Amino acid sequence: MQIVDAQVHAWVSGDSTGHHRRAPITRDVLVDEMVRAGVNRVLLVPPLWDPEGNAYSLALAQAEPERFAVMGLLPAGVEDPAAAIETWREQPGMLAVRFLFNTPERLAPLLEGRYERVWPVAQESGLVVALHVPGALEEADAIARRFPRLRLIVDHLGVPRGASGPAAFDHLPALLALARHPNVHVKAAGVGDYALDPWPFRSIEPPLRQIFDAFGAQRVVWGSDLSRLHHPYRQCVTHFSETLAWLSDADRAAVMGGNLCRLLGWNQGGSEERGRAA
């Protein structure tokens, strides 16, 4: 089974305030972590704190396209987001785009309609869009309803930043309601950090089971959010690949990489051994 991580921040400079890991995750650091955790591929998600923006992640993806690809961020202050999205995938290694609406300041432009021209352009171009919208899942619902061919991923299962224990899933009814839209996937990134108990994080199995029952294994993608993890990378992998008893072998293969590669059109022809080699 090929393991593909749907979210890792890689960077060489900048202060990772708010994440557990403060030292930069460079290419060599990441590859070492991947080998030890048994991860074959990584979708790089450039962090806001990196002054180079998408550049470092794109350089890694262009050098090693079977190991890395990028879900990029629009540069701050871009004048015409729709025009930028129209040619987004012309950048080698750039396979998707992520929008951060996880603070009142970042959510305001969405509520003001500044992205209205983005969604139809993304839909027509086939671009995969990830939305980080904790506390405003109704906005994801509205976008999915209006643009049924737009492929959407809801980040972090909609969990608010810093939430843990039962409160992490207070929003669960709103998340489950999104399952009625066939174009919506959910990203389960580092969900063990929401648990109050150690691996295998049995306390969060009930909400996870509800999410799988609603969306089906074919619409869940696993990720680590490595820089935020408070537990070992390998535990994050095996939480989904080994301990969720309701998943079949085919389900595990889909969640742990197949779904993401299918969504992104990321060629799955490379060998696992080549993906593991440093």
Side-chain angles (χ1 to χ4, degrees):
M1 178 173 63
Q2 182 168 240
I3 307 295
V4 185
D5 193 333
Q7 182 168 323
V8 171
H9 302 309
W11 74 100
V12 291
S13 60
D15 185 359
S16 60
T17 302
H19 279 222
H20 181 64
R21 184 174 300 200
R22 305 302 295 273
I25 297 180
T26 62
R27 182 266 178 199
D28 290 347
V29 169
L30 178 53
V31 169
D32 179 65
E33 292 266 14
M34 291 169 65
V35 169
R36 288 188 286 115
V39 173
N40 305 102
R41 293 183 176 191
V42 163
L43 183 63
L44 300 170
V45 180
L48 278 175
W49 61 78
D50 185 352
E52 294 188 23
N54 298 322
Y56 183 63
S57 293
L58 281 172
L60 297 186
Q62 290 161 13
E64 300 177 83
E66 288 191 354
R67 175 177 278 153
F68 301 122
V70 182
M71 173 181 279
L73 297 173
L74 281 176
V78 63
E79 291 187 8
D80 190 344
I85 290 304
E86 196 166 20
T87 58
W88 195 247
R89 287 199 62 168
E90 293 178 9
Q91 306 171 83
M94 185 71 81
L95 300 188
V97 65
R98 186 188 197 208
F99 291 95
L100 299 176
F101 302 126
N102 59 333
T103 68
E105 296 75 20
R106 294 170 188 160
L107 181 61
L110 176 66
L111 300 180
E112 293 165 3
R114 297 185 198 173
Y115 292 92
E116 282 302 294
R117 292 182 55 241
V118 167
W119 315 129
V121 170
Q123 176 175 259
E124 293 309 311
S125 67
L127 184 66
V128 175
V129 172
L131 301 174
H132 191 20
V133 284
L137 291 177
E138 67 278 4
E139 297 301 321
D141 185 271
I143 294 167
R145 174 175 46 80
R146 291 167 54 214
F147 303 100
R149 291 183 291 108
L150 176 60
R151 293 175 295 170
L152 293 172
I153 299 174
V154 174
D155 267 1
H156 291 288
L157 302 180
V159 176
R161 184 172 182 175
S164 61
F169 293 97
D170 283 347
H171 68 293
L172 192 59
L175 180 69
L176 298 181
L178 290 172
R180 66 176 176 264
H181 302 294
N183 55 326
V184 175
H185 290 64
V186 290
K187 184 200 296 178
V191 297
D193 269 4
Y194 308 146
L196 300 179
D197 55 330
W199 184 93
F201 316 119
R202 297 298 185 194
S203 66
I204 59 173
E205 284 195 2
L208 284 180
R209 182 62 188 266
Q210 291 183 68
I211 291 165
F212 273 95
D213 286 347
F215 286 90
Q218 299 301 313
R219 289 197 285 150
V220 179
V221 296
W222 168 84
S224 71
D225 202 6
L226 179 60
S227 54
R228 187 176 291 177
L229 288 183
H230 289 76
H231 55 276
Y233 196 9
R234 180 62 183 167
Q235 287 187 355
C236 186
V237 173
T238 57
H239 178 209
F240 272 57
S241 69
E242 297 180 8
T243 75
L244 301 184
W246 63 84
L247 295 180
S248 67
D249 289 345
D251 289 340
R252 290 190 179 94
V255 171
M256 300 304 296
N259 293 339
L260 184 68
C261 290
R262 168 179 50 81
L263 270 174
L264 300 179
W266 193 359
N267 176 20
Q268 300 182 66
S271 73
E272 293 193 11
E273 288 307 313
R274 192 158 57 246
R276 288 181 188 274

